[in-house]
Amino acid sequence: MRGRTMTVRVAFTSDNHFDVNRVDPQAMMTAQAEYLLQQHVQWYLIAGDLFNDFQRSQQFVVDLQAKLSYQTQVLWIAGNHDMVHGVSFDELEKGHFNGYLHNQFVDIPNTDWRIIGNNGWYDYQFASQLDKPAADFEQWKRGFWIDRAIEQPMTDQERADLALQQTAVQLQAAQAANKHVIFMTHFVPRTDYIHYSTTHPFWNMANALLGTPRMGDLLNQYQVDHVLFGHTHLHPAPLKIENTTYYDQAVGYGLKRINEWQEPTFMAEWRRDTFLLDLEEKTKKLSKKG
């Protein structure tokens, strides 16, 4: 017999920055849990940058999962801010923390959908038009970027290569299993999201540290259905390019000196920026013997 058509609701968010935004994370957690339950969300995906401390971010995910119980599964990957304190490179790469999806996948039961996570990284290619050597970007990073506090046993280009190799293996496995894919990463995968300033050229150096266009090329190669990322706080609408729809659902900063919000409060902005995706198709046909 044919199985009934399933509707699976997935919610996307990124860059909540609870500590930078100086909000009460416990109060925000309670409010977010209430909203997710009211909206009948079954999978809640967080593309990094919850706190400037991995342990606080991981504990938030664990505590939020406890509030949501069985109705909603919470999955996350780490952004650069999460990596600044409380975690080593090896733990980021190999740690098996509850809900942490870097270089792992979860299949949505009774469907042909697979959620794949990879933290991602950057390789300076988004600033290639500046025609500067890698050493210049490394120096700028050490002087001006929060990532200078992140320890790693390799260059940025090598770390980006590693993320791409891991993602390719995951996408190959998903293709072999005939899965449709939701891919979650933190860093920017396409040039479409990069802003080149003519009035503040100094900040064009920061583009080097936003991601790599090679990730977008790889996702396009495997015709990934949906891609969630963050890192830039631009609030763009979902963008479909060929067979892939991209979602940058970052909440961003709501501070006096840097106010990127379009709403007056954190929760209003979070609700505005949280995307609800209903997966109503591409579900398996269930068979019953006898």
Side-chain angles (χ1 to χ4, degrees):
M1 60 177 288
R2 286 193 176 187
R4 59 185 175 82
T5 300
M6 292 187 59
T7 299
V8 177
R9 174 161 281 189
V10 184
F12 294 160
T13 190
S14 185
D15 295 71
N16 284 201
H17 291 291
F18 294 115
D19 46 358
V20 177
N21 284 317
R22 300 169 189 165
V23 296
D24 181 348
Q26 293 301 315
M28 298 306 103
M29 180 193 302
T30 298
Q32 288 181 351
E34 290 175 354
Y35 177 83
L36 294 169
L37 292 172
Q38 290 169 358
Q39 296 297 320
H40 306 288
V41 171
Q42 292 151 283
W43 297 85
Y44 180 46
L45 308 187
I46 307 170
D49 280 7
L50 290 172
F51 294 90
N52 287 2
D53 186 306
F54 185 91
Q55 298 302 322
R56 293 187 70 187
S57 299
Q58 176 61 32
Q59 192 60 52
F60 181 91
V61 170
V62 170
D63 293 344
L64 177 59
Q65 183 64 77
K67 283 184 176 291
L68 293 168
S69 188
Y70 62 88
Q71 178 176 309
T72 307
Q73 297 297 310
V74 184
L75 301 173
W76 81 295
I77 47 91
N80 57 316
H81 280 252
D82 306 295
M83 300 176 188
V84 169
H85 297 292
V87 69
S88 67
F89 176 84
D90 286 343
E91 288 171 327
L92 284 167
E93 288 300 317
K94 302 174 184 177
H96 292 277
F97 307 100
N98 291 338
Y100 180 59
L101 201 63
H102 172 64
N103 197 26
Q104 298 183 66
F105 71 86
V106 171
D107 288 336
I108 298 178
N110 301 316
T111 77
D112 57 4
W113 285 97
R114 174 170 292 184
I115 304 169
I116 298 173
N118 193 285
N119 297 339
W121 204 247
Y122 43 80
D123 59 5
Y124 310 159
Q125 288 194 24
F126 283 140
S128 60
Q129 84 287 351
L130 298 179
D131 195 26
K132 292 181 179 291
D136 285 6
F137 297 118
E138 293 165 3
Q139 182 178 5
W140 193 93
K141 174 181 173 178
R142 288 193 299 270
F144 301 102
W145 207 243
I146 191 173
D147 296 9
R148 63 183 178 269
I150 301 172
E151 296 183 359
Q152 59 187 39
M154 57 185 66
T155 68
D156 288 327
Q157 291 87 346
E158 289 170 341
R159 191 167 187 173
D161 288 344
L162 176 61
L164 290 161
Q165 292 162 7
Q166 292 169 337
T167 300
V169 170
Q170 291 284 358
L171 294 178
Q172 289 165 7
Q175 187 179 73
N178 295 314
K179 297 291 185 179
H180 290 278
V181 172
I182 298 173
F183 181 73
M184 173 170 59
T185 190
H186 180 70
F187 295 91
V188 179
R190 291 193 62 91
T191 308
D192 308 75
Y193 295 92
I194 302 301
H195 174 68
Y196 300 100
S197 175
T198 56
T199 56
H200 299 89
F202 174 79
W203 289 106
N204 286 335
M205 294 289 286
N207 289 334
L209 312 179
L210 295 186
T212 171
R214 293 188 291 156
M215 181 64 81
D217 293 341
L218 182 62
L219 299 172
N220 181 68
Q221 176 185 340
Y222 283 91
Q223 300 184 46
V224 171
D225 296 81
H226 302 285
V227 176
L228 167 64
F229 67 99
H231 203 38
T232 58
H233 307 163
L234 302 177
H235 311 293
L239 176 64
K240 187 168 185 178
I241 300 174
E242 296 187 24
N243 296 304
T244 305
T245 305
Y246 293 85
Y247 307 82
D248 176 3
Q249 304 306 135
V251 174
Y253 302 139
L255 307 172
K256 288 184 177 180
R257 62 184 181 86
I258 305 176
N259 188 359
E260 301 164 326
W261 292 354
Q262 302 169 73
E263 300 292 343
T265 67
F266 176 89
M267 277 307 301
E269 184 65 28
W270 176 82
R271 284 191 294 268
R272 180 188 183 99
D273 297 326
T274 298
F275 189 88
L276 302 180
L277 175 67
D278 289 325
L279 305 175
E280 297 181 346
E281 300 177 348
K282 300 170 183 171
T283 54
K284 288 181 178 178
K285 294 179 181 179
L286 306 179
S287 62
K288 183 178 180 180
K289 295 181 179 180

